[in-house]
Amino acid sequence: MSSVKWLLALVLIVQVCSRTPRLVTEFDLPHAAVASITPQFGSYGPSLVMTTFYPSGTDGVFVIPDIDKILNGEAEVKIQTVEEDTQWPNMAETSYGTTLLTACGFFVSGAKSTGSIDLYDVSDFPNSPAKRTKISEDRKGNFYHQAVFMDVDADGKDDIIAARAFKSLYNPLSKAEGELMWFKPPSDGNPNWETRYLTTPQGHDGPDVAFTTTDLDNDGKLEIVAAQFFTQQALVVWECTAEKWSDCENGANIKYYTVDNNGDPFFNVQWVDLDMDGTKDLLATTNTASGKGAVYGYRLVADFRRGAEAWEKHTLATGYKPLHPHLPGQGSPGFAYAFQVSETEVPLILVSADDGGWFDLLQRTDAWTYNVTQLVNTTGTVGSQTKPMDIDGSGRKVFFLPLYSEGKVQMYVFD
């Protein structure tokens, strides 16, 4: 090996060994489930938004303000209630710090399997309570994992798209369903949100759980990459072949292309440059009780319309398994997020083992090979972590880990 290669290898080894986050603090929050960081929440600055859920009772959304001050030892953890009467919120994320978007419901709890998409006006929080608007219409047994803002009809206003799923825990012979919903905001002629469909179960199978929007071929139009869990159990690209997505209502002009269908249900997907070659890749997880749960990377090497042939697949970590695989709804891993500690370093990957009960940090050692470090191990299920962010302008990346079964939340920083 040349001296230059030896030097590069040494630099990489030092980077891998040195990237260990520091535990800043830990606080109690029963059934801490899904976490997100927002630069602003109402009248607050950088804040942590947390959801809680449980098979019985009601669930909640909470905010922990001043996380920049908590990081620097200038404030104590203060948990404030945004909502305490919702049903299984699988996500809670803000837009411009004034609007909170939630996607709710899950099939493991019969009483909470009928989910909803809700918006909260938090522009004056905490001076005024959050005002909730339910924008979806109930459909029995149908639930939501994710929703995002997107201008579907190119009218300059934010619509919302969401993946809706149906799966019966009590009737295993029933057909799973997935569809992409379009919620159009109020207008002068209609004071209510309109419910529309982009894909439908009739002729389509998905999306049903997680997805990301991106322009894969740089033609100015977004594609939707979906991690499908209940329906096709595949990683799929959905394309609208018309001028805009509103021209693809009810499945018209929609095509889909399978990236991977290895037989396991896909759970999470992110579009991110994993190897710093200047082009983005897909980062995805499969969530299963079999012990074959894994984290994968996919590099686009051809036109995405060629399906699996267009993607170069790499296994980044594998062997994830829930602690109690025979219980309903168990699977591992959960969410995986790639992020850079600094602009000059290759991304690390933070992985939730979900029902496996731990969190991993994946650090690249060579090409598509990763070293796996377990950050924390618990006695039961863990929740969905935040995407690491710089919250105080110091350049340091901060993240939070919900320890669901322990009823705690941990805060970490890369110094």
Side-chain angles (χ1 to χ4, degrees):
M1 181 182 289
S2 70
S3 59
V4 174
K5 289 184 178 179
W6 273 112
L7 180 60
L8 290 175
L10 179 61
V11 170
L12 187 56
I13 290 171
V14 171
Q15 175 183 312
V16 169
C17 293
S18 64
R19 285 312 180 192
T20 302
R22 172 175 61 89
L23 176 63
V24 177
T25 190
E26 178 181 276
F27 59 91
D28 295 334
L29 183 62
H31 308 139
V34 181
S36 67
I37 294 174
T38 177
Q40 178 186 345
F41 193 95
S43 62
Y44 292 131
S47 303
L48 171 68
V49 179
M50 287 294 316
T51 77
T52 63
F53 49 64
Y54 198 68
S56 61
T58 57
D59 305 312
V61 180
F62 304 88
V63 62
I64 296 85
D66 300 325
I67 56 174
D68 53 337
K69 296 178 181 178
I70 295 171
L71 171 64
N72 296 304
E74 301 169 357
E76 300 293 328
V77 172
K78 182 180 179 181
I79 303 174
Q80 296 198 343
T81 301
V82 178
E83 167 68 89
E84 54 186 353
D85 191 21
T86 186
Q87 302 288 336
W88 209 289
N90 289 298
M91 64 157 279
E93 297 188 2
T94 60
S95 174
Y96 310 112
T98 59
T99 303
L100 180 71
L101 173 63
T102 64
C104 303
F106 195 38
F107 77 106
V108 297
S109 174
K112 302 180 182 182
S113 62
T114 301
S116 62
I117 300 295
D118 299 298
L119 282 176
Y120 294 84
D121 180 353
V122 296
S123 57
D124 194 35
F125 190 89
N127 303 313
S128 301
K131 182 180 178 182
R132 177 184 178 183
T133 301
K134 181 178 177 181
I135 68 169
S136 62
E137 300 173 356
D138 286 352
R139 185 179 181 187
K140 185 175 176 58
N142 283 247
F143 49 91
Y144 302 87
H145 272 81
Q146 185 180 3
V148 300
F149 291 99
M150 173 178 158
D151 188 355
V152 176
D153 51 6
D155 65 351
K157 298 180 180 178
D158 278 340
D159 305 285
I160 292 174
I161 62 171
R164 188 169 75 179
F166 170 81
K167 173 66 177 178
S168 174
L169 178 64
Y170 308 101
N171 181 8
L173 298 179
S174 63
K175 182 181 181 298
E177 295 181 354
E179 54 203 336
L180 189 63
M181 309 295 296
W182 167 24
F183 300 103
K184 188 172 173 57
S187 60
D188 293 339
N190 188 346
N192 301 313
W193 284 78
E194 297 179 41
T195 299
R196 300 186 180 186
Y197 298 81
L198 295 178
T199 71
T200 65
Q202 294 73 36
H204 302 88
D205 286 309
D208 59 18
V209 176
F211 60 92
T212 187
T213 59
T214 184
D215 185 358
L216 290 174
D217 55 0
N218 298 312
D219 66 349
K221 295 191 299 183
L222 293 176
E223 284 77 46
I224 294 170
V225 186
Q228 301 194 190
F229 188 94
F230 297 102
T231 51
Q232 297 185 53
Q233 298 190 328
L235 189 62
V236 178
V237 176
W238 295 82
E239 178 192 27
C240 172
T241 60
E243 181 179 352
K244 53 186 181 294
W245 271 94
S246 56
D247 297 328
C248 291
E249 191 173 357
N250 296 319
N253 304 310
I254 285 183
K255 294 183 178 180
Y256 63 85
Y257 314 89
T258 301
V259 176
D260 192 2
N261 57 350
N262 64 7
D264 293 323
F266 280 80
F267 189 73
N268 169 226
V269 60
Q270 182 186 8
W271 181 239
V272 60
D273 187 353
L274 290 172
D275 53 4
M276 290 185 67
D277 66 351
T279 60
K280 291 187 176 182
D281 314 284
L282 290 177
L283 173 67
T285 63
T286 55
N287 179 283
T288 176
S290 68
K292 298 190 298 180
V295 183
Y296 297 105
Y298 301 84
R299 187 168 73 95
L300 186 60
V301 295
D303 187 337
F304 71 84
R305 297 170 184 86
R306 293 174 58 181
E309 294 180 1
W311 301 90
E312 182 182 279
K313 178 181 177 181
H314 300 272
T315 302
L316 310 185
T318 190
Y320 289 89
K321 185 177 182 179
L323 294 169
H324 308 288
H326 302 297
L327 295 178
Q330 298 288 299
S332 182
F335 279 74
Y337 292 128
F339 65 99
Q340 288 180 274
V341 176
S342 72
E343 293 181 357
T344 60
E345 297 180 39
V346 293
L348 308 180
I349 302 173
L350 185 61
V351 183
S352 165
D354 198 359
D355 296 310
W358 73 90
F359 288 94
D360 281 338
L361 185 65
L362 277 55
Q363 306 189 60
R364 185 173 180 256
T365 58
D366 182 31
W368 293 87
T369 303
Y370 285 77
N371 179 54
V372 180
T373 301
Q374 190 175 100
L375 291 181
V376 59
N377 197 10
T378 76
T379 60
T381 296
V382 295
S384 298
Q385 71 277 26
T386 66
K387 299 175 183 177
M389 290 179 60
D390 177 3
I391 61 173
D392 64 350
S394 66
R396 298 173 297 171
K397 296 298 174 67
V398 172
F399 62 91
F400 292 83
L401 304 181
L403 312 185
Y404 179 86
S405 293
E406 308 283 345
K408 297 181 181 298
V409 179
Q410 292 183 335
M411 179 184 190
Y412 287 84
V413 63
F414 286 94
D415 289 316

